[in-house]
Amino acid sequence: MGRDLPLAPPEKGYPPSPAERFVPTGREKAGSARWRSTGPPVDSVSADALRNTVEELAAFHTRHTFSPLIGPAAEEIVNRLTAAGYPDVVRRTWTNAGHSADNVICTKPGTEPGSPVVLLCAHYDCRMEDPHDATARAPGADDNAGGVAAIIEIARLLATVPLPSTIRFVAFSGEEQGLWGSSAYAEALHAAGDGAHQVVNLDMVGRPPADGSVTVERDLGNSVPGNDAASQAFAEVMARAAADHTALPVRLGPIYSSDYMPFEARGDVTIGAYEGEGNPHYHRTSDTPETLDYGYLADVTRLTLATLLA
Ligand SMILES: [Zn+2]
C-alpha cells in the first residue's frame, strides 16, 4: 500500500508509544468526581448538535479525498460554519500528485492585534482499509466526522464571545493520503509570514477506549526541538481543562500521524486530543455514527473549548 503516494498514509489507530496517566498536582487524581463546571459556553456544548453533524457527514457514501463527494462534504461544512455565525467561510484548494481538494477555513478575529493565532483543526476526509479505494462505503464517523463536529460546535459557542487571540477553525482534506491538505495550508501560512501558531488538532475523539480516558497529545521531539517545551506547557493547560471540566481520566501521549505534524515541522506549537487506540472500526465500513459515544464526544469538545478559553 502507498505505492504511488509520496508519503506513507498516516496510521492514527496505532500509537508509537503508550500514553501515561496525567495526575494534576494538588488533586487526588484526574477523573475523580471532583470536577467543576464553570458555566457557558463550556456547559453549553450540545451532544445532540454533535450527533447531528456526525450523522450528516457520515451520510455521504464516502468522504474519500479522491471521490467526487469530497466537494459536497466541504460544502456541508461551509454551510454549518456559516450557520454557526460566520459569514466569511472560505474554501482553499490544494493540489498534490495530480489530486485536488479543498480545506475549509473560518476565521474569528481576535481583539488584540499581534496575539498568537490559534488553529483548531480536524480532517473531514476518510478512507476504507485500502487507502486508494475512493468508491467503497466509508462513513468515517469516528475518523473523523466527530472531530469536525467538535470544531463546528466550538465555533458556534464562541461566535459571540470576544477573545484576545484570533482563532482559525480549519477542516482539512487529504489527511488520509499523507497530510496533504494540512501540509499545503501550513506551507502557505508560513510562506505568507503568518507563523507562530498554536495548533490544536482533533482526530478520533468520539469513541472512548476501555478505560474511558482521553489522551492529550504533545510534541516530544519530532522535526523541531525548539517548540517542544511550549507544546508540553500547552498540553498541561489542556490536561488541566480536562480534569476541571470533565470526569474523564486523562492521559498524556505523543503527537503523531495527523494534521499537526506539518505545523510542528515549521516550528509551531502543537497539541491534540485523541481517544487512544482500540477502535475496531478504524478505516472500516463499520465506522458508523451508532458506534460513537456522544457524551464522550461532548466531554472532549468541552475540554477543547475550555483550553481555548484558559
Ligand atoms: Zn483521522
Side-chain angles (χ1 to χ4, degrees):
M1 65 190 228
R3 62 199 178 278
D4 61 359
L5 301 175
L7 292 169
E11 286 289 357
K12 190 64 199 171
Y14 305 98
S17 60
E20 62 197 63
R21 191 76 182 260
F22 170 78
V23 181
T25 50
R27 299 204 184 105
E28 285 167 33
K29 64 186 176 82
S32 73
R34 299 173 60 225
W35 62 281
R36 61 192 161 84
S37 63
T38 50
V42 175
D43 282 355
S44 304
V45 169
S46 163
D48 287 342
L50 293 165
R51 179 195 289 264
N52 182 274
T53 302
V54 169
E55 288 178 347
E56 204 64 37
L57 290 174
F60 288 95
H61 177 71
T62 179
R63 302 186 311 278
H64 194 289
T65 294
F66 302 165
S67 163
L69 291 171
I70 195 72
E75 198 54 33
E76 178 69 34
I77 296 165
V78 170
N79 292 340
R80 284 177 178 255
L81 284 168
T82 304
Y86 301 84
D88 300 317
V89 185
V90 299
R91 291 172 62 161
R92 261 219 203 128
T93 306
W94 53 264
T95 299
N96 194 322
H99 296 281
S100 290
D102 289 356
N103 297 326
V104 179
I105 300 147
C106 167
T107 301
K108 171 182 163 56
T111 56
E112 283 180 19
S115 56
V117 174
V118 181
L119 295 190
L120 177 61
C121 56
H123 74 87
Y124 70 94
D125 64 311
C126 67
R127 56 168 272 202
M128 267 284 288
E129 285 103 320
D130 176 357
H132 301 275
D133 188 345
T135 59
R137 170 68 175 136
D142 189 34
D143 188 14
N144 182 38
V148 175
I151 69 168
I152 293 170
E153 178 67 352
I154 291 169
R156 180 179 78 85
L157 293 168
L158 289 181
T160 58
V161 179
L163 291 176
S165 295
T166 293
I167 301 181
R168 290 207 174 99
F169 305 97
V170 186
F172 292 121
S173 52
E175 195 271 350
E176 301 288 9
Q177 283 65 44
L179 317 178
W180 288 359
S182 53
S183 294
Y185 188 59
E187 187 179 351
L189 281 185
H190 282 264
D194 200 4
H197 295 279
Q198 291 181 310
V199 178
V200 181
N201 185 58
L202 304 179
D203 190 359
M204 301 181 72
V205 291
R207 193 178 187 281
D211 69 356
S213 65
V214 62
T215 295
V216 174
E217 302 172 315
R218 76 279 198 235
D219 184 6
L220 304 174
N222 298 295
S223 297
V224 175
N227 53 6
D228 290 9
S231 165
Q232 286 157 35
F234 196 18
E236 176 94 9
V237 171
M238 179 177 260
R240 284 184 170 276
D244 284 348
H245 295 278
T246 78
L248 303 177
V250 185
R251 294 185 176 277
L252 294 173
I255 60 164
Y256 70 99
S257 288
S258 195
D259 287 316
Y260 30 37
M261 303 312 286
F263 297 94
E264 190 284 329
R266 289 167 175 81
D268 295 333
V269 175
T270 57
I271 62 170
Y274 174 46
E275 67 202 24
E277 61 192 307
N279 186 345
H281 310 292
Y282 178 62
H283 291 169
R284 293 179 184 275
T285 295
S286 57
D287 182 8
T288 57
E290 308 82 68
T291 66
L292 270 61
D293 177 332
Y294 293 93
Y296 179 83
L297 178 56
D299 272 343
V300 176
T301 306
R302 282 185 197 102
L303 73 89
T304 304
L305 176 52
T307 302
L308 298 181
L309 295 169

